[in-house]
Amino acid sequence: MLVFTLLLSSTTFFGQIKETENPETKSQFWQQVRFGGSLGLSFGNGNFTGALAPSAIYDFNQTFSAGAGLSGAYSSQNNFKATSLGGSLIGMMRPIREVQLSAEFEQINITRRYEFDGANIKDQDWVPALFLGVGYNLGPVVTGVRYDVLHDKNKSFYSSPFMPFVSVYF
């Protein structure tokens, strides 16, 4: 009988806690989340590269943020075409309001297609990237440069480890 009474009272106790939860507490999480990302286009002399990288960032406070993103890109140049799809984990720090430091680990699947002497060659590989960046914060827009410390000139999707960027978050 004692066990039954304790069980019943603990169920009632936890039920009361749940009933008294503030419904605004749940929405406070989403008030700290910003959505946005980057869009990139490059073309000229038969070359084209387009990239789309949406992401969601959670602001822990005015200095630190973290989040996740998706990425997709397409590139073509004469007899060469490449597609990349992947995801990333992002960390940001703003030591002062105008400066943003970032680290982003990205894992992408790259598919390359070559046309060589009439033969079609297809190559597919998972490639990691670790971008360290610095940017100038203009409110919802950040512009800067980032560097891929894991850049491999034979496997990386981008030809250079340095990449300028413009990101927008709302």
Side-chain angles (χ1 to χ4, degrees):
M1 183 68 167
L2 179 63
V3 173
F4 179 72
T5 304
L6 287 174
L7 216 86
L8 184 61
S9 64
S10 66
T11 305
T12 305
F13 175 73
F14 287 117
Q16 288 175 354
I17 290 175
K18 192 170 187 174
E19 288 174 11
T20 60
E21 272 185 13
N22 185 353
E24 293 179 13
T25 304
K26 292 179 184 177
S27 65
Q28 286 179 359
F29 172 83
W30 292 108
Q31 290 174 0
Q32 302 295 79
V33 176
R34 294 182 291 146
F35 295 97
S38 302
L39 172 68
L41 292 174
S42 173
F43 47 90
N45 295 333
N47 303 333
F48 172 79
T49 300
L52 180 63
S55 55
I57 302 294
Y58 179 83
D59 293 324
F60 294 103
N61 53 42
Q62 291 182 356
T63 305
F64 296 101
S65 303
L70 300 173
S71 65
Y74 173 79
S75 182
S76 67
Q77 177 179 348
N78 302 323
N79 296 330
F80 171 80
K81 293 177 180 30
T83 305
S84 75
L85 296 170
S88 63
L89 297 174
I90 307 162
M92 296 180 202
M93 183 177 95
R94 290 169 296 284
I96 59 174
R97 192 179 84 68
E98 293 82 11
V99 175
Q100 176 180 289
L101 305 174
S102 62
E104 179 176 0
F105 178 75
E106 182 177 65
Q107 184 73 35
I108 56 176
N109 184 279
I110 302 172
T111 303
R112 297 176 182 89
R113 290 183 170 78
Y114 309 88
E115 191 176 305
F116 184 72
D117 287 336
N120 291 323
I121 301 167
K122 180 181 173 183
D123 178 31
Q124 190 169 5
D125 202 6
W126 283 96
V127 179
L130 178 58
F131 295 103
L132 302 178
V134 61
Y136 183 69
N137 188 355
L138 302 165
V141 177
V142 177
T143 182
V145 65
R146 61 189 196 160
Y147 180 80
D148 180 5
V149 297
L150 301 177
H151 187 266
D152 179 341
K153 66 179 181 177
N154 296 320
K155 290 187 175 186
S156 294
F157 185 81
Y158 305 102
S159 60
S160 171
F162 285 100
M163 292 180 56
F165 71 88
V166 175
S167 298
V168 180
Y169 288 98
F170 298 101

